[in-house]
Amino acid sequence: MNKFEYISDVAFTPAVKTIQERKGSRHAYARMEQNGSWESIITPELENYIAVQASFYMATVNADGQPYIQHRGGPAGFLKVLDAHTLAFADFSGNKQFISQGNLSENPKVHLFLMDYANRQRIKIWGEAKVIEDDVALLQKLMPQGYAAKPEQIIVIKLIAWDANCPQHIPVRFDGAKVKNALDEKDARIRALETEIASLRQK
């Protein structure tokens, strides 16, 4: 699948490199390329990162080059690693516009953007995707246990490259459920301490 001199060439096209040269960053990225460029397999570190993500953004492009970005969410880990080169997820039923599916039928190229706002980290994934509508066994494997959403189909992504961005300009945001759990634990600790203090005062 990969036809690039360097894996990062999936994004660093000749036009991009020309601009990098003009704006002074080409030397640094050329050194990065020569030292190994980006990753082209799903490493254990990436798999661990994916396993705790509850959402991501997916970009597709139609035959005319018109881009479309769609948010996909579910229980943490609903985007699953099938092997070192393959990701997949159960695509839950939504508003039935099917823009992403239509785009993928014309152009398989796909890009995923996974944001970890709490830790100010982002992962970019380039790949090629296909829609599968008739694999019951794979759907059962991908469908999160106990999740009430209705699966519409499966999207399987063959990874081409991935890269981690720096945390610059990423706002810190926390998951509501995690914040509630932390506050509940704090409140429980306060109640326990208040009970302990009251008991000590009675002695």
Side-chain angles (χ1 to χ4, degrees), residues 1 9 17 28 109 146 149 173:
M1 185 188 299
D9 285 350
K17 290 181 180 183
K109 290 181 172 57
R173 296 174 180 169

Side-chain angles (χ1 to χ4, degrees), residues 154-165:
I154 298 165
I155 295 183
V156 176
I157 300 159
K158 285 294 181 182
L159 181 136
I160 295 174
W162 69 272
D163 181 46
N165 271 103

Side-chain angles (χ1 to χ4, degrees), residues 60-186:
T60 58
V61 180
N62 66 19
D64 292 330
Q66 177 63 49
Y68 178 70
I69 297 177
Q70 186 170 49
H71 173 264
R72 278 289 174 253
F78 79 101
L79 176 64
K80 297 187 183 300
V81 174
L82 298 186
D83 58 48
H85 299 277
T86 314
L87 299 166
F89 64 96
D91 193 22
F92 307 130
S93 182
N95 57 19
K96 296 189 177 295
Q97 291 182 344
F98 302 118
I99 298 174
S100 294
Q101 184 173 0
N103 288 354
L104 291 174
S105 72
E106 298 178 332
N107 185 337
K109 290 181 172 57
V110 70
H111 183 82
L112 304 186
F113 210 84
L114 284 67
M115 295 293 300
D116 180 351
Y117 289 104
N119 295 300
R120 301 180 68 234
Q121 186 177 12
R122 52 190 163 189
I123 298 290
K124 304 179 295 186
I125 296 175
W126 287 262
E128 294 190 354
K130 63 179 178 180
V131 176
I132 299 175
E133 298 181 322
D134 56 358
D135 190 331
V136 176
L138 180 57
L139 182 60
Q140 289 178 342
K141 180 179 180 180
L142 295 173
M143 190 64 193
Q145 293 294 319
Y147 194 53
K150 177 184 177 183
E152 183 80 44
Q153 58 217 356
I154 298 165
I155 295 183
V156 176
I157 300 159
K158 285 294 181 182
L159 181 136
I160 295 174
W162 69 272
D163 181 46
N165 271 103
C166 70
Q168 190 175 17
H169 308 305
I170 299 176
V172 177
R173 296 174 180 169
F174 297 100
D175 178 79
K178 291 181 180 178
V179 170
K180 183 180 183 304
N181 288 339
L183 292 175
D184 288 346
E185 290 177 4
K186 182 200 70 166

Side-chain angles (χ1 to χ4, degrees), residues 15-35:
V16 171
K17 290 181 180 183
T18 296
I19 295 172
Q20 290 175 349
E21 187 71 43
R22 178 167 60 84
K23 296 197 172 186
S25 62
R26 177 88 289 264
H27 178 73
Y29 285 119
R31 189 167 62 247
M32 179 272 292
E33 292 165 350
Q34 294 160 9
N35 289 335

